[in-house]
Amino acid sequence: MSNNSFSRRGVLKTGMVASAGLALPQYLRAQESGFTNAPGASEVVLGFNVPQTGPYADEGADELRAFELAVEHLNGQGDGGMLQTFSSKALDGTGILGREVKYVTGDTQTKSDAARASARSMIEKDGAIMISGGSSSATAVAMQALCQEAGIIFMAGLTHANDTTGKDKRANGFRHFFNSYMSGAALAPVLTAQYGTDRKAYHLTADYNWGYTTEEAIRTSTEALGWETVNTVLTPLTQTDFSSYIAPVLNSGADVLVLNHYGGNMVNSLTNAVQFGLREASANGKNFEIIVPLYSELMARGAGSSIAGIFGSQNWDWKLENELGSRFSGTNAFVRSFGTKYGFPPSQAAHTCYVQTLLYADAVTRAGSFNPCAVDEALENFEFDGLGNGPTLYRAEDHQCFKDVVVVKGKENPEDEFDLVEIVEVTPTEQVTYAPDHPQFAGGALGTCNPGA
C-alpha cells in the first residue's frame, strides 16, 4: 500500500492519506454498488475508535486489545475465541465474505467532537465500512449519528446511557452493551434487600448523558422501593479531585452515596470518599454505604482496596462460566484466548467490543452483503447464544441487545489483583426488559437504514 502501508500490527492510523486502493476507488465502487465504502475483492477495512487518552483511556486500551484479537480470529489466526461456541456457524476464519480484515484506529479523547472527527477520517480517508468503539456514551452517540449520515454501520462499544438506544437511536447503529435502565432494574432489589427500604441517597453524577440517565435509572428504581433522594450534584467529566464534592455529603442527611461515575472518575471519586471516612461513618442510625452503579474488574483494579463491599452492575464478567455454568458458554473460550495473548483477563469493555466485531462479521456473512441495509436486516430480531452472556436478542425496535445483567460486589479478601469482584447474582432478562416507548427512552426515532452512496 505504497507509503501508507499497514504496520506490523495491521493498523493504519487515521489521519494518514490512504493509498489509491482505499480512497477514490472506494467511492467509485460505492457508486456502482449503491452503498458507501463497498470493499474490493481482497480486503475490507473496519474502524475502531476508542479513548486512547482522557479519563476512560484504560477502558479504551482494553477495547483495542479485543478488537485486535477479533480481527486475528476472523482472519484465521489463533484459536478463534468464541467462533466455536457462537450459535451462528457462518464465520469460518477466512475473513469476511472472503476478504481479509484490516483495521484503522483512532483516539476519541473521550470528547464528542474528537470522536466524530476521527470516525469521519476513518470513513472518508481510510474507507472503513464499519465503525465501532466508545467508552463514553456521548462519543458513541456522536459517532452513531455520523455513521447514520454517512451510510456506515456503527457497532457501539462500551456505551451505557439510555440515550444510545433511546432518544438518539439510529437505524445504522446497534448496541450489545446493557444500559442505565437495566442497571437500575437489576440493582434496586439487591440494594433494598441488603440495606433496607428506609434509605436516603445522595448522588454525584458525571455531567453528560450517561451520568444523567444512570442517575435517573438508579433514583427511579430505588425510590420505587422506598428510598428517598436527598440531593443530586453534577461533576465535570474532567474532574480528578472530588474532595470538594465529597465533603458536604456527611452533613446532608444522606446515609448512601451513589457515585454515577465511570473509569478514572470512579476510581478518583471512590478513593476520595473512602479517604473522607465515609466507609466508617454512620448516619440516621445506619452504617453509611457507597454504591457505584456501573463498574468493571478493570476499574476495581484501579480503586484497589476501596472497592471492597461496593455493589454495582456489569454487562459481563470473566468468571461467569466457571461460577454459573454452561448458560454463559463462550466466556471461557474468550478469556483463554485473550489471556494467552495479553497475560490477564479481559474487562467487560473488551468483551463487548470483541462480540460486536463478530456480530457484524456474522451479519454480513449471513446476509451475503456488506450493504448496511442487508446488515441491518440480518441483525434485527437476531437471537443468538454462546458469546458469554447467555441467550441474547437484538431487538428490532431500537437495536438494543436484551440479556441477563450481572450484579457484583467488591471482594473483601481478594486472592489476587484480577479477582477483585464477586458475582452476587445474575438478574434474568425478563426483569430488565422494558417496552420500546418506556419514559426513560422517550423521544427520537430509529428511522430507516441509510446505505449512503
Side-chain angles (χ1 to χ4, degrees):
M1 292 182 56
S2 73
N3 294 329
N4 294 314
S5 59
F6 286 91
S7 73
R8 287 173 297 175
R9 295 177 57 201
V11 184
L12 179 65
K13 296 292 185 180
T14 60
M16 298 173 67
V17 178
S19 70
L22 286 178
L24 184 58
Q26 287 292 120
Y27 293 106
L28 291 178
R29 285 197 296 271
Q31 291 170 12
E32 294 170 358
S33 63
F35 62 95
T36 301
N37 288 348
S42 62
E43 65 182 44
V44 59
V45 180
L46 308 182
F48 302 138
N49 206 21
V50 304
Q52 299 185 51
T53 56
Y56 294 174
D58 287 347
E59 304 289 318
D62 227 32
E63 289 182 308
L64 276 185
R65 295 182 188 107
F67 282 135
E68 181 177 342
L69 188 66
V71 169
E72 289 181 3
H73 292 170
L74 290 173
N75 287 333
Q77 304 161 15
D79 68 6
M82 296 174 177
L83 292 184
Q84 286 76 39
T85 60
F86 187 15
S87 57
S88 173
K89 302 305 178 185
L91 299 174
D92 60 5
T94 59
I96 306 176
L97 289 185
R99 279 83 164 175
E100 181 183 5
V101 182
K102 301 287 188 177
Y103 65 99
V104 293
T105 66
D107 181 8
T108 69
Q109 305 174 40
T110 322
K111 298 175 182 176
S112 297
D113 289 347
R116 188 176 173 99
S118 183
R120 183 181 295 279
S121 177
M122 292 176 175
I123 296 167
E124 295 182 354
K125 294 183 179 180
D126 302 323
I129 196 169
M130 182 273 274
I131 301 293
S132 186
S135 288
S136 156
S137 290
T139 63
V141 164
M143 287 188 283
Q144 181 167 261
L146 172 68
C147 288
Q148 181 69 37
E149 297 164 9
I152 295 293
I153 289 291
F154 178 64
M155 300 296 286
L158 195 161
T159 169
H160 186 245
N162 291 341
D163 294 352
T164 308
T165 47
K167 71 180 183 64
D168 294 310
K169 58 184 174 288
R170 295 289 188 273
N172 282 39
F174 292 84
R175 170 163 61 179
H176 172 264
F177 206 73
F178 72 144
N179 58 45
S180 300
Y181 173 89
M182 295 172 176
S183 286
L187 268 175
V190 174
L191 295 176
T192 53
Q194 180 72 24
Y195 300 134
T197 57
D198 181 23
R199 284 287 184 167
K200 300 181 186 300
Y202 190 115
H203 289 253
L204 290 181
T205 300
D207 190 6
Y208 75 108
N209 61 346
W210 171 74
Y212 312 148
T213 65
T214 301
E215 178 193 296
E216 178 186 25
I218 300 301
R219 180 170 46 77
T220 301
S221 295
T222 53
E223 286 177 356
L225 296 178
W227 285 26
E228 177 186 346
T229 303
V230 300
N231 202 5
T232 60
V233 177
L234 296 176
T235 62
L237 187 58
T238 55
Q239 194 74 24
T240 56
D241 183 352
F242 291 85
S243 300
S244 61
Y245 293 95
I246 301 294
V249 175
L250 278 175
N251 298 318
S252 66
D255 45 52
V256 174
L257 173 61
V258 182
L259 294 174
N260 300 302
H261 292 153
Y262 197 75
N265 290 156
M266 169 271 189
V267 170
N268 291 331
S269 64
L270 178 59
T271 300
N272 287 161
V274 171
Q275 290 171 342
F276 266 73
L278 265 64
R279 295 292 297 276
E280 293 77 35
S282 60
N284 305 322
K286 306 175 182 70
N287 291 333
F288 202 99
E289 306 293 348
I290 304 172
I291 297 161
V292 178
L294 175 69
Y295 71 89
S296 66
E297 298 252 12
L298 190 64
M299 289 159 58
R301 213 176 307 159
S305 60
S306 296
I307 202 67
I310 302 295
F311 280 92
S313 65
Q314 292 184 176
N315 187 68
W316 174 86
D317 187 274
W318 68 270
K319 303 181 293 296
L320 272 172
E321 190 173 356
N322 283 341
E323 295 188 6
L324 296 174
S326 61
R327 178 176 177 82
F328 302 101
S329 66
T331 291
N332 285 350
F334 178 56
V335 172
R336 180 172 57 252
S337 185
F338 188 97
T340 298
K341 183 173 178 64
Y342 298 113
F344 48 84
S347 67
Q348 62 179 351
H351 173 262
T352 207
C353 287
Y354 180 94
V355 168
Q356 283 285 70
T357 308
L358 260 59
L359 286 169
Y360 171 77
D362 176 77
V364 170
T365 305
R366 288 187 292 109
S369 173
F370 288 95
N371 188 313
C373 295
V375 175
D376 183 284
E377 185 175 348
L379 283 172
E380 285 189 345
N381 284 333
F382 179 47
E383 296 181 63
F384 58 92
D385 202 350
L387 293 183
N389 292 107
T392 304
L393 167 70
Y394 240 132
R395 188 164 70 178
E397 289 87 347
D398 49 14
H399 295 182
Q400 171 66 55
C401 271
F402 287 84
K403 55 194 183 299
D404 298 346
V405 171
V406 185
V407 177
V408 298
K409 182 175 71 169
K411 282 192 172 182
E412 299 286 354
N413 298 296
E415 294 181 7
D416 58 57
E417 63 176 316
F418 303 114
D419 189 28
L420 300 176
V421 174
E422 63 179 283
I423 298 170
V424 175
E425 75 166 41
V426 174
T427 304
T429 309
E430 307 78 62
Q431 189 175 317
V432 299
T433 299
Y434 51 88
D437 60 353
H438 188 281
Q440 291 187 34
F441 297 83
L446 188 67
T448 58
C449 167
N450 177 23

